Amino acid sequence: MTLPPGQRAIDGFPRFGTHLHHPPPPVPADPVIELGGALSESHTLSESDRAQLPRRELAADFHCVAGWSATGLRWEGTPFADLYRLRVEPLLAPGVSITHVVFEGLDGYRSIAALEDVMADDVLIADRLDGQPLTSDHGAPVRLVSPGQYGFVNTKHLCRIEFHTSAPPDPDRFSPLAAHPRARVWAEERHRYLPGRVVRPLYHRLIRPIRALSARGSSAPAE
């Protein structure tokens, strides 16, 4: 098995996120995904709407920017490219060109991605993992899965997608751990300003405390 540079395979798939010590947000009874931003009109995508879109299964690893990789995962959901072409492009005014996408979760987390990155064939709006519906720990009811990008792009508990004609402001751009705007795992784009190999040792030291905090906030009993 070949992993991207600086990654280490681990057993299992730990919960991750920015609110590690808090439980996941509750799953709405009727979950929807709001589509907004530079569209001619806003649109709400319900579960029944998503069921009418193409679906695919995907075997893909998950790579955390801290340096661990969960391998052999089996995802299922709607290809983002199909959602974009079938539901978003009809809502674009003539001449409007989308360059960036913002994904927002029910926990308030937001990630920013270049449109060209999330239009890749292996990017899903996923609702199943390893043959089962997503659990709260892993992003229920639906989440973004972009295997070619580090985990911080892969927003969980997805409830809103915004489409932009230029890069939106990034509030974390001056953080000591400022994330790379592309976050491509095979290019080791971990940090906005520093080479990936330089920040590897620091990020590797974060794996153990991240896993411990994740277990505290898990929806399942900690091991």
Side-chain angles (χ1 to χ4, degrees), residues 68-93:
W68 57 261
S69 294
T71 60
L73 304 175
R74 294 183 295 111
W75 303 98
E76 185 178 342
T78 298
F80 177 82
D82 287 329
L83 184 153
Y84 184 80
R85 295 186 180 109
L86 296 174
R87 292 292 187 267
V88 177
E89 285 186 343
L91 299 176
L92 297 177

Side-chain angles (χ1 to χ4, degrees), residues 22-161:
H22 296 301
V27 177
D30 298 303
V32 299
I33 302 175
E34 298 177 357
L35 305 180
L39 307 180
S40 58
E41 60 182 81
S42 59
H43 181 70
T44 299
L45 200 67
S46 66
E47 285 189 301
S48 59
D49 292 330
R50 286 193 295 106
Q52 298 174 28
L53 294 171
R55 291 182 65 82
R56 69 167 292 193
E57 295 182 3
L58 174 72
D61 301 337
F62 179 93
H63 307 293
C64 179
V65 71
W68 57 261
S69 294
T71 60
L73 304 175
R74 294 183 295 111
W75 303 98
E76 185 178 342
T78 298
F80 177 82
D82 287 329
L83 184 153
Y84 184 80
R85 295 186 180 109
L86 296 174
R87 292 292 187 267
V88 177
E89 285 186 343
L91 299 176
L92 297 177
V96 171
S97 179
I98 300 300
T99 63
H100 290 77
V101 187
V102 176
F103 299 91
E104 183 174 342
L106 292 166
D107 56 1
Y109 181 77
R110 290 163 61 93
S111 66
I112 302 172
L115 178 65
E116 65 182 288
D117 290 334
V118 291
M119 289 292 280
D121 290 341
D122 59 356
V123 176
L124 298 183
I125 303 299
D127 54 18
R128 297 178 70 84
L129 172 62
D130 292 336
Q132 300 295 325
L134 286 179
T135 64
S136 292
D137 278 348
H138 291 305
V142 294
R143 62 169 298 157
L144 178 67
V145 173
S146 182
Q149 297 178 281
Y150 288 115
F152 62 81
V153 175
N154 293 234
T155 298
K156 300 192 297 183
H157 319 295
L158 190 61
C159 65
R160 180 174 174 81
I161 308 175

